[in-house]
Amino acid sequence: MVEEQNLPPQDEQSLRDIPFMQAAYQQARLAWDEGEVPVGAVVVKDGVIIASGYNRPIGKHDPTAHAEIMALRAAAELIGNYRLPGCELYVTLEPCMMCAGAMMHARLARVVFAASDPKTGVAGSLLNVFENGHLNHHTQVTGGVLASECSTMLRDFFAHRRAVAAQKKLVATENSSSTQD
């Protein structure tokens, strides 16, 4: 076993990030169970998870019900303030523009994400809104924590969804053929 004190500082931080990202991963599993895209998030303050959330836009009929927004809302309610100074947000997928904006307004100290999102990610994939020198608040960003596990979950979810859709199409085609005979 590698001793933590022998690792470079970034590796020590990454080791501390893993349990929080695992908690976000468990939130993503809840989203999957509800048929939502499996993205989960947790908010951490002083080394303790204070809020969590998972994707719920379909179930809530709310385009803003992303995992990050759900977790930020719960944390703000708990703290009693829309500002979350000193808090960190862990999320299984790189934030989109909407979520990144909410994170900046919440004044998070740090955002940690797992899988990159080449289609909508704004923490380095499409652009990096967190490194905009014109903003009055700066949030530290770390990407890639448990990226493989979280990417695999997302790929598996969409593969499963495609397989179910193909099966439904096949059944519909067979039913259509049998009624025409």
Side-chain angles (χ1 to χ4, degrees):
M1 184 171 155
V2 178
E3 293 183 29
E4 209 171 306
Q5 65 268 21
N6 292 334
L7 298 173
Q10 186 174 7
D11 290 336
E12 288 176 18
Q13 182 63 57
S14 294
L15 287 174
R16 286 191 294 275
D17 290 339
I18 290 172
F20 299 124
M21 191 59 75
Q22 287 171 331
Y25 182 92
Q26 291 307 312
Q27 290 296 307
R29 294 293 312 172
L30 295 173
W32 180 321
D33 292 345
E34 291 186 16
E36 303 273 3
V37 175
V39 178
V42 297
V43 176
V44 174
K45 182 157 180 67
D46 300 323
V48 176
I49 295 172
I50 62 166
S52 60
Y54 57 91
N55 263 5
R56 301 191 64 202
I58 297 168
K60 287 190 152 296
H61 310 289
D62 179 356
T64 69
H66 288 196
E68 302 96 309
I69 301 296
M70 302 303 289
L72 289 172
R73 286 176 180 160
E77 185 72 28
L78 179 74
I79 290 175
N81 190 348
Y82 71 105
R83 300 279 196 228
L84 303 172
C87 290
E88 300 171 301
L89 184 133
Y90 290 78
V91 61
T92 58
L93 183 63
E94 181 180 357
C96 70
M97 184 67 82
M98 174 186 69
C99 293
M103 292 170 192
M104 296 300 286
H105 282 288
R107 303 293 194 260
L108 293 174
R110 186 166 175 248
V111 172
V112 182
F113 69 90
S116 295
D117 185 351
K119 293 183 179 181
T120 64
V122 297
S125 289
L126 290 178
L127 56 114
N128 191 341
V129 299
F130 295 100
E131 289 185 1
N132 184 328
H134 298 289
L135 298 174
N136 65 341
H137 176 73
H138 303 283
T139 299
Q140 180 187 356
V141 177
T142 302
V145 176
L146 297 184
S148 177
E149 294 88 337
C150 294
S151 294
T152 297
M153 183 192 314
L154 285 160
R155 275 193 304 275
D156 290 351
F157 173 81
F158 287 112
H160 175 74
R161 207 153 98 171
R162 285 189 298 276
V164 167
Q167 183 63 31
K168 284 181 182 179
K169 186 175 180 180
L170 179 63
V171 168
T173 302
E174 289 173 355
N175 288 341
S176 173
S177 295
S178 66
T179 58
Q180 292 177 1
D181 292 338

